[in-house]
């Protein structure tokens, strides 16, 4: 294995949206999209979740719904759930803070696409934490991604730069 992971190189990996989704679940997601802005949309997404709680397409749909509704605490819960599901699929033990070169390499051998999803879920949770004003938590997550994504394929360095430049004087970040 190369000493550097190329997070943009996915190879033949199946991506989360390529996974088969049970027809009833997919129908709920589609109906929720068509009824966006109405209370029934959230009910449909939650029903899809109850039908398939490990389906990443369902988690992404719920995350986006809450994020675009500015329900950030709810979106954070879903991002955390996506991290749990993807970590289990990658056989990662412990939390995201335990990611290192060895665990990352092992995860990449299992599925580069799932590893990229996991890191993007971590980045998504950091963005929500930023919007909630929880800067030190967001910074810790972004720093972890930067440690393992040395080429910044996932684009966390600009976010870290903004935090460090704009907020460091007002907040203790380390």
């Amino acid at each position: 294995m190369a000493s550097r992971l190329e997070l943009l190189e996915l190879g033949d990996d199946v991506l989360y949206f390529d996974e088969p989704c049970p027809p009833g679940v997919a129908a709920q997601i589609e109906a929720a999209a068509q009824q966006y802005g109405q209370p029934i949309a959230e009910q449909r997404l939650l029903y899809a979740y109850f039908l398939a709680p490990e389906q990443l397409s369902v988690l992404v749909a719920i995350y986006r719904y809450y994020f675009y509704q500015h329900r950030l605490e709810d979106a954070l819960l879903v991002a955390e759930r996506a991290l749990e599901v993807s970590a289990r699929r990658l056989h990662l033990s412990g939390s995201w803070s335990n990611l290192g070169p060895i665990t990352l390499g092992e995860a990449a051998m299992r599925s580069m696409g799932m590893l990229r999803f996991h890191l993007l879920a971590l980045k998504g949770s950091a963005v929500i934490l930023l919007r909630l004003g929880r800067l030190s938590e967001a910074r810790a997550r972004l720093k972890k991604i930067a440690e393992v994504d040395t080429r910044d394929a996932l684009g966390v360095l600009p976010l870290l730069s903004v935090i460090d430049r704009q907020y460091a004087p007002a907040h203790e970040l380390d």
Side-chain angles (χ1 to χ4, degrees), residues 1-172:
M1 186 175 112
S3 62
R4 175 185 293 221
L5 287 177
E6 182 54 63
L7 292 171
L8 294 177
E9 187 68 39
L10 297 177
D12 295 331
D13 274 1
V14 173
L15 302 176
Y16 81 89
F17 49 80
D18 292 329
E19 290 182 352
C21 190
V25 173
Q28 292 299 319
I29 294 171
E30 180 62 33
Q34 292 174 357
Q35 297 169 323
Y36 183 80
Q38 300 172 35
I40 190 72
E42 180 179 12
Q43 293 169 11
R44 289 188 179 281
L45 291 172
L46 293 176
Y47 183 64
Y49 177 76
F50 283 115
L51 292 174
E54 301 274 316
Q55 182 76 37
L56 296 179
S57 293
V58 172
L59 293 172
V60 169
I62 297 170
Y63 171 86
R64 288 179 177 165
Y65 177 82
Y66 288 143
F67 187 83
Y68 293 122
Q69 291 287 316
H70 306 286
R71 293 173 54 185
L72 299 179
E73 294 286 350
D74 293 329
L76 182 59
L77 287 173
V78 178
E80 295 292 343
R81 176 73 177 141
L83 282 168
E84 291 170 13
V85 171
S86 58
R88 191 169 37 260
R89 289 188 186 186
L90 290 166
H91 305 282
L92 297 172
S93 60
S95 77
W96 56 266
S97 61
N98 294 336
L99 283 177
I102 293 173
T103 55
L104 214 60
E106 291 170 351
M109 288 191 291
R110 287 184 185 93
S111 172
M112 184 59 88
M114 186 59 58
L115 176 57
R116 192 165 192 273
F117 178 90
H118 186 74
L119 293 173
L120 285 170
L122 184 57
K123 180 183 177 184
S125 69
V127 168
I128 293 170
L129 289 166
L130 280 174
R131 294 190 65 186
L132 291 171
R134 295 163 58 181
L135 304 179
S136 62
E137 292 173 76
R139 186 172 187 270
R141 291 171 188 232
L142 294 170
K143 280 186 72 157
K144 178 53 73 175
I145 296 169
E147 286 174 20
V148 299
D149 179 16
T150 57
R151 295 179 68 178
D152 197 33
L154 302 181
V156 300
L157 292 181
L159 291 170
L160 278 170
S161 176
V162 168
I163 293 170
D164 290 345
R165 204 174 46 247
Q166 304 248 334
Y167 301 107
H171 299 281
E172 180 87 20

